[in-house]
Amino acid sequence: MAFVKLYKNKAYFMRYQTKYRRRREGKTDYYTRKRMITQDKDKYNTQKYRLVARITNYRVIAQIVYATITGDRVVCHADSLEFKKYGLTTGFASYSAGYATGLLLARRVLKKFNLDGLYSGVDKVTGEDYDVNANANDEKRPFKCVLDVGLRPTTTGNRVFSVLKGAIDGGLHVPHSTSRFPGCKKVDGEKKTDDKFHLKRIMGTHID
């Protein structure tokens, strides 16, 4: 019989450290989460808000969340299934539904913090990039949050960016790049966005 070296010996199991439960379940990327929730020390106990976008097979969920030692706290919530009240019967997980969910969440959280009168968002959806800081108020700055996409791969045109686009157009300040929006292509080594192409995705006119 050939000699087989034993790797998982007593010393291996003595030093084995069990990973976090949500890492074992494949639900949380703690490497990314640590960098998203870490707050500057000179800001003390100021909450660092995250725009959490989750897309299932049937619906889009968007939330404003901040982390505490005892767990995350949800400030505001929006769900694409709420559009059933307005006559929508299908397409709750589409790009259009994600945009509308992000827009709904933005208006709700701004109303909660009494910022809806100062930051009204875009007047008309054009697909162009919108920067709320261009018309920022001197007394109250825009509501800032960072995008949290979870384990979803951030490929160009992914539906999680529809929630981002809706939140931005709704009046939230979310640091981002337009290079992952639908229609963005490289031309002569530079990335250029196609606003008309993006507008078709938002309106759902590309669907027959």
Side-chain angles (χ1 to χ4, degrees):
M1 182 177 176
F3 175 74
V4 179
K5 186 175 182 181
L6 183 65
Y7 284 99
K8 293 187 178 181
N9 52 19
K10 182 179 179 182
Y12 169 84
F13 288 106
M14 285 178 64
R15 289 161 177 79
Y16 184 81
Q17 184 176 6
T18 307
K19 296 184 185 296
Y20 292 145
R21 176 181 60 82
R22 288 185 63 86
R23 172 61 188 89
R24 298 198 305 267
E25 295 173 352
K27 291 182 177 180
T28 299
D29 181 1
Y30 282 99
Y31 181 86
T32 305
R33 176 181 168 82
K34 177 185 176 182
R35 283 150 182 78
M36 277 195 298
I37 68 175
T38 302
Q39 182 65 289
D40 297 333
K41 283 189 175 182
D42 59 355
K43 294 183 180 178
Y44 299 97
N45 202 30
T46 304
Q47 291 88 356
K48 190 174 183 180
Y49 296 103
R50 308 194 320 270
L51 171 61
V52 179
R54 298 291 183 269
I55 300 177
T56 70
N57 292 335
Y58 188 58
R59 61 178 179 169
V60 178
I61 303 169
Q63 295 176 334
I64 298 295
V65 180
Y66 67 92
T68 65
I69 294 177
T70 57
D72 286 2
R73 297 288 181 267
V74 179
V75 177
C76 199
H77 171 89
D79 195 319
S80 61
L81 292 181
E82 298 178 43
F83 302 137
K84 285 184 177 180
K85 297 184 293 185
Y86 305 102
L88 195 64
T89 58
T90 186
F92 297 109
S94 63
Y95 196 93
S96 303
Y99 178 85
T101 306
L103 186 65
L104 177 63
L105 177 71
R107 300 317 302 166
R108 277 183 179 169
V109 71
L110 289 177
K111 187 175 182 180
K112 183 170 185 176
F113 289 101
N114 296 323
L115 294 171
D116 54 330
L118 297 174
Y119 303 104
S120 58
V122 296
D123 298 325
K124 184 180 180 182
V125 181
T126 59
E128 299 177 1
D129 190 33
Y130 175 72
D131 185 12
V132 69
N133 287 312
N135 300 316
N137 187 276
D138 295 333
E139 296 182 2
K140 294 184 177 181
R141 288 178 293 179
F143 185 89
K144 181 181 178 180
C145 52
V146 293
L147 179 64
D148 180 351
V149 298
L151 300 177
R152 184 170 286 263
T154 53
T155 53
T156 303
N158 200 303
R159 286 175 293 168
V160 293
F161 297 116
S162 64
V163 180
L164 169 66
K165 178 60 175 171
I168 293 168
D169 286 357
L172 297 186
H173 171 41
V174 187
H176 69 283
S177 170
T178 59
S179 61
R180 288 304 181 186
F181 285 148
C184 181
K185 294 182 180 179
K186 270 191 176 182
V187 180
D188 297 331
E190 294 183 2
K191 290 185 177 181
K192 294 185 178 180
T193 56
D194 189 346
D195 297 333
K196 292 183 179 179
F197 185 91
H198 196 185
L199 181 61
K200 289 181 180 179
R201 288 296 186 272
I202 294 173
M203 296 300 181
T205 54
H206 65 291
I207 302 174
D208 295 332

